[in-house]
Amino acid sequence: MALLTDADLGSWGTGHIVRTMFPLLVVLCAIVLWAGITLEDAGDLLDRYGLLAVMVPAMIGMGGNLGSILSARLSTRLHLGTTTFDPTDRLLWANVAAIFALAATIFTALAVAVWLFGRLVGTPLTLGQLLGISLLSGLSIAAIAVVASVVATYGSYRLGIDPDDTTIPIVTNVVDVFGMLVFLAVSRWMLVG
Amino acid sequence: MQPRGVFWSIYREALPVLAIALLGGLCSGLVLSGLLDSVADFPGLLVMVPVFLATRGNVYGSLGGRIATGLHQGLIQPRFEWNDRLVNAIIASVVNAVGISIVIGSLSWGVLTVLGREPAPLRVLVGIVLIASLLTAAVMIGGLLTLLFAGYKAGRDPDNLVGPIVTTLGDVFGMAFLFLAVVIVEVLVS
């Protein structure tokens, strides 16, 4: 069977998808490159404390996950007309509190898991240092994810764009960049001073 | 629902998914710490790591979101069959993934050169991301479709499955194939 042309498929055509997605991908790529340069600059720190490299993908990935959960919930509530971005809205604060509780749980687990692995391979890092780095940077990243989700969802809504299409890419990429900056800055501060 | 009920329902629903994502992130972190040994041979490699991982999420997150919508609208059936919409969406994601990998390699090389950091040769950096992104595409598309179709048939909302599937598969296989690509290029270059 021959492929149908773009005209038959509308928004499902290969050309249409590539034309709408590719420019966005290039812009996001240029933004996240900043995180990459920060990581390359921290090469000396990673050489000295190899366990930090083990934490990097989980650290930045988790910020994006937390942001996506909150954004998806906020945009669903907007679609249903049950949220107003009123700072006295107690349900909004319950959502935010749940994100922080999840962050505290997951980043404690991350520190313990990395510490256990460190016991096997040998490392100068203590459980206290790992908990400090993981929770301090993890909760800061959660705060960035919350702010990014609320701003992106509210911004899309005010601009008349469906937040389902915009918030998750914006939030995950913003959190990738700031997550890397925060994690490496906190690690350097705790370990080097 | 009362705020307290909302709090606990989010916590209980999200925790298992986040725990799986954490495991994926840790596996990917172990590979990254192994990759550090090759950084001296290929300056610029670390710059590409976050960009490469973020791009996996953007390309396949969009493909997954599209398929989830298609399943909801009945435009796509939850099985592997020739469907023009599905085939077009998959081809588009491969074109995007391969195209952006060339951009990642070139942009990293360009920025590092402008900053005066002396990166590895352009063809080496582009070669590494290109090989990694082709290998990742095969696993991501196969894995995403299999898991989405299975989840949909089991009565789960595909919208809630896309995010965790893409993050976990992308982190684990993205890093693993980046490592493999470095090994392949090391053999080719030497």
Side-chain angles (χ1 to χ4, degrees):
Chain A
M1 193 199 284
L3 285 177
L4 296 177
T5 63
D6 276 18
D8 302 316
L9 286 164
S11 68
W12 284 84
T14 302
H16 177 88
I17 300 174
V18 173
R19 274 194 307 276
T20 44
M21 274 289 290
F22 203 75
L24 178 67
L25 288 174
V26 174
V27 172
L28 294 174
C29 176
I31 296 171
V32 181
L33 196 67
W34 189 18
I37 292 173
T38 320
L39 184 63
E40 178 105 350
D41 284 344
D44 58 322
L45 195 65
L46 297 181
D47 277 340
R48 239 163 81 203
Y49 304 104
L51 278 188
L52 294 180
V54 180
M55 294 172 87
V56 164
M59 204 77 200
I60 58 174
M62 204 50 71
N65 284 330
L66 293 168
S68 307
I69 293 172
L70 185 60
S71 314
R73 296 188 59 89
L74 289 178
S75 44
T76 302
R77 295 185 67 211
L78 265 182
H79 281 303
L80 297 174
T82 51
T83 208
T84 49
F85 290 106
D86 178 352
T88 60
D89 180 356
R90 292 179 60 214
L91 287 180
L92 183 63
W93 287 108
N95 277 275
V96 172
I99 295 296
F100 278 104
L102 286 165
T105 313
I106 288 291
F107 288 114
T108 304
L110 173 65
V112 173
V114 170
W115 176 73
L116 286 174
F117 176 71
R119 304 273 297 186
L120 291 176
V121 296
T123 174
L125 295 173
T126 63
L127 180 59
Q129 284 174 320
L130 288 169
L131 275 172
I133 293 172
S134 186
L135 282 172
L136 189 58
S137 48
L139 291 174
S140 313
I141 292 170
I144 296 168
V146 166
V147 172
S149 309
V150 172
V151 171
T153 313
Y154 186 62
S156 312
Y157 168 71
R158 288 302 296 266
L159 291 171
I161 307 167
D162 184 347
D164 279 335
D165 293 334
T166 53
T167 47
I168 289 181
I170 292 174
V171 170
T172 48
N173 289 280
V174 164
V175 174
D176 272 0
V177 174
F178 287 102
M180 188 73 84
L181 296 176
V182 168
F183 172 64
L184 292 173
V186 167
S187 302
R188 201 175 283 279
W189 178 67
M190 299 256 319
L191 298 173
V192 185
Chain B
M1 213 191 296
Q2 289 306 301
R4 190 178 294 272
V6 170
F7 175 90
W8 284 112
S9 81
I10 301 171
Y11 189 85
R12 269 197 307 271
E13 275 171 36
L15 196 59
V17 175
L18 290 179
I20 294 169
L22 179 62
L23 275 181
L26 282 169
C27 293
S28 153
L30 291 178
V31 181
L32 176 61
S33 68
L35 200 64
L36 286 180
D37 298 334
S38 306
V39 169
D41 299 335
F42 300 113
L45 187 58
L46 272 187
V47 174
M48 303 195 299
V49 168
V51 197
F52 178 71
L53 291 183
T55 306
R56 299 313 90 194
N58 294 332
V59 171
Y60 300 107
S62 148
L63 174 67
R66 186 173 283 278
I67 291 171
T69 307
L71 285 168
H72 277 306
Q73 292 177 332
L75 292 171
I76 289 177
Q77 296 306 310
R79 54 178 170 267
F80 287 93
E81 59 174 9
W82 189 276
N83 174 313
D84 287 312
R85 289 189 175 82
L86 188 57
V87 173
N88 270 274
I90 290 173
I91 294 174
S93 72
V94 176
V95 171
N96 277 330
V98 169
I100 202 69
S101 70
I102 297 171
V103 174
I104 294 172
S106 316
L107 203 60
S108 304
W109 181 85
V111 169
L112 289 172
T113 305
V114 169
L115 292 175
R117 304 278 184 93
E118 296 184 3
L122 177 61
R123 61 192 162 81
V124 171
L125 291 185
V126 171
I128 291 173
V129 221
L130 199 58
I131 294 171
S133 91
L134 282 171
L135 293 171
T136 314
V139 173
M140 286 300 290
I141 292 169
L144 184 60
L145 290 181
T146 308
L147 291 170
L148 274 186
F149 289 170
Y152 184 73
K153 279 191 257 184
R156 304 290 298 271
D157 182 346
D159 279 330
N160 295 336
L161 298 174
V162 172
I165 293 175
V166 168
T167 322
T168 312
L169 284 184
D171 272 4
V172 175
F173 289 101
M175 276 309 298
F177 286 134
L178 199 59
F179 189 82
L180 185 60
V182 168
V183 173
I184 293 173
V185 171
E186 257 170 356
V187 172
L188 290 179
V189 168
S190 62

